């Protein structure tokens, strides 16, 4: 399992992130506080809110995925 902290600043970033992760046949969850959602769910991602840091858990090889989502990874 690989974990990354990610954040979204606007709805367009959420849509772009979703288009990227949907290409992968890997299970992924997003966690913020007590809320856990499927990282490939538009409604779930919108529910996390903007400008909040959430943990992305990837249950598989995330090498290429990490490069593609690097702009969303929180510093």
């Amino acid at each position: 399992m690989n974990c990354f902290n990610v954040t979204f600043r606007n709805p367009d970033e959420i849509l772009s992130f979703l288009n990227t992760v949907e290409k992968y046949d890997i299970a992924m969850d997003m966690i913020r506080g007590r809320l856990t959602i499927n990282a490939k769910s538009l409604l779930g991602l919108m529910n996390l809110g903007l400008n909040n840091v959430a943990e992305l858990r990837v249950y598989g090889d995330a090498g290429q995925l990490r490069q593609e989502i690097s702009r969303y990874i929180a510093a």
Side-chain angles (χ1 to χ4, degrees):
M1 177 174 63
N2 296 287
C3 299
F4 310 104
N5 288 328
V6 298
T7 188
F8 306 109
R9 292 181 295 279
N10 59 60
D12 291 333
E13 287 188 350
I14 293 174
L15 290 173
S16 177
F17 175 86
L18 185 62
N19 287 332
T20 301
V21 298
E22 283 182 333
K23 296 187 294 186
Y24 291 87
D25 190 27
I26 303 171
M28 300 177 214
D29 289 326
M30 294 281 282
I31 300 168
R32 193 182 104 224
R34 296 184 340 204
L35 181 64
T36 301
I37 58 106
N38 182 334
K40 297 178 183 180
S41 165
L42 176 60
L43 291 177
L45 291 174
M46 296 297 273
N47 195 33
L48 292 175
L50 301 174
N51 300 312
N52 293 314
V53 176
E55 180 183 16
L56 171 64
R57 290 185 181 173
V58 181
Y59 304 102
D61 182 27
Q64 181 66 28
L65 173 65
R66 186 185 197 300
Q67 289 178 335
E68 290 192 51
I69 64 167
S70 63
R71 65 181 173 171
Y72 310 113
I73 295 177

